[in-house]
Amino acid sequence: MSDTVDPPRLPAEARADPPRQARAVATRGAILAAAAEEFAARSYHEASLSRILERSKVTKGALYFHFVSKESIALAVVDEMERLCRGMVERCAALGLDPLRTAAQVAREMQDALAGPEVRAGQRLCGEGLAGPSRPGWPFAFWQEVFTDLFVRAGTAGLLVPAVDARAFARTIVDVSAGAFIASLAISELTDLAQRVCENWELLLGAAADPAWLDAWRADGGMAAVLGPHLGPMPIDGGGWVPER
């Protein structure tokens, strides 16, 4: 199947009655799920519309009804990653924890999300410059902004040692987290990522957090308690960002 677009014949899903609308939503979701698996496993240029079509089990006409090109599918996958990332932040904020514990919960949410292909695919596409002109550097810029906000609030609340610059600390967290993902992918196909995340966060919080906060944090089990069941082999589904053999 070529990655160029033939003039599509509109499928029956284009009709406006509610049952067909529901099927159209389901079809689009199936395409996006299949595309996330494909883009997580391969670079954008190696990814194939034929494989996306095969994975999604939809018709060629249905695919072209929803998306005009491979690029439009890739952008939709990045959109989904952005939606998931913003949802993580909202859920963690709703827990009512202090800013440092909220930051640790964000790391836990990301660990949860990496078990599926959507976030990994979105990260890969962003790394290849396919996030679109309106969001360069996604998701790295987004997470830097999120952690900067949390650490500024933590500093205001006296939860960081005075010498720590909140913005520099946020950049460090993002840099170390990105490096941990790349190293874990290369060495263990992500099976040791949670352990790396745990060790990195304990080291960085140990250097940056107020001693009284650290005592309470460690008494509660620290990052190991936050990550919980992730501190074992990471469950990767069949379409993950792991080279296919």
Side-chain angles (χ1 to χ4, degrees):
M1 177 177 175
S2 172
D3 287 345
T4 60
V5 180
D6 298 323
R9 295 180 62 186
L10 295 183
E13 294 164 333
R15 300 175 186 176
D17 61 278
R20 292 189 187 280
Q21 285 182 339
R23 285 198 292 274
V25 170
T27 297
R28 189 178 190 278
I31 296 167
L32 281 180
E37 293 175 355
E38 179 71 8
F39 290 129
R42 297 173 177 83
S43 71
Y44 173 81
H45 294 293
E46 293 171 334
S48 162
L49 282 178
S50 296
R51 283 190 294 268
I52 293 173
L53 193 63
E54 182 179 356
R55 288 178 189 270
S56 66
K57 302 187 184 337
V58 305
T59 67
K60 181 178 179 181
L63 185 146
Y64 279 132
F65 171 67
H66 289 282
F67 300 101
V68 299
S69 65
K70 186 168 76 171
E71 181 180 5
S72 70
I73 300 175
L75 288 171
V77 171
V78 176
D79 287 343
E80 178 63 11
M81 178 199 66
E82 179 175 343
R83 185 189 69 80
L84 291 172
C85 289
R86 293 188 185 280
M88 294 178 208
V89 176
E90 291 173 2
R91 285 192 297 275
C92 292
L95 296 174
L97 304 172
D98 71 58
L100 292 185
R101 289 178 184 264
T102 299
Q105 286 293 331
V106 168
R108 160 63 189 264
E109 285 268 351
M110 177 58 79
Q111 193 73 23
D112 291 345
L114 287 171
E118 292 85 1
V119 169
R120 285 178 282 127
Q123 286 182 335
R124 184 170 200 154
L125 290 166
C126 289
E128 295 174 353
L130 291 157
S134 64
R135 47 188 176 189
W138 241 93
F140 307 105
F142 172 75
W143 289 121
Q144 186 170 302
E145 179 182 333
V146 167
F147 286 122
T148 295
D149 175 68
L150 288 169
F151 296 151
V152 166
R153 291 196 283 117
T156 301
L159 305 183
L160 297 177
V161 296
V164 172
D165 179 87
R167 290 168 178 80
F169 188 28
R171 288 195 298 270
T172 300
I173 285 286
V174 172
D175 291 350
V176 170
S177 298
F181 180 86
I182 292 169
S184 180
L185 176 65
I187 294 170
S188 72
E189 296 185 343
L190 300 180
T191 58
D192 69 346
L193 179 59
Q195 186 63 42
R196 291 172 182 270
V197 170
C198 185
E199 293 167 354
N200 291 339
W201 274 81
E202 285 293 353
L203 179 64
L204 293 172
L205 287 172
D210 175 77
W213 183 91
L214 274 176
D215 287 344
W217 167 255
R218 289 168 176 162
D220 290 338
M223 198 65 186
V226 174
L227 290 171
H230 287 294
L231 291 173
M234 183 177 174
I236 296 293
D237 59 32
W241 189 357
V242 175
E244 295 188 355
R245 292 179 170 79

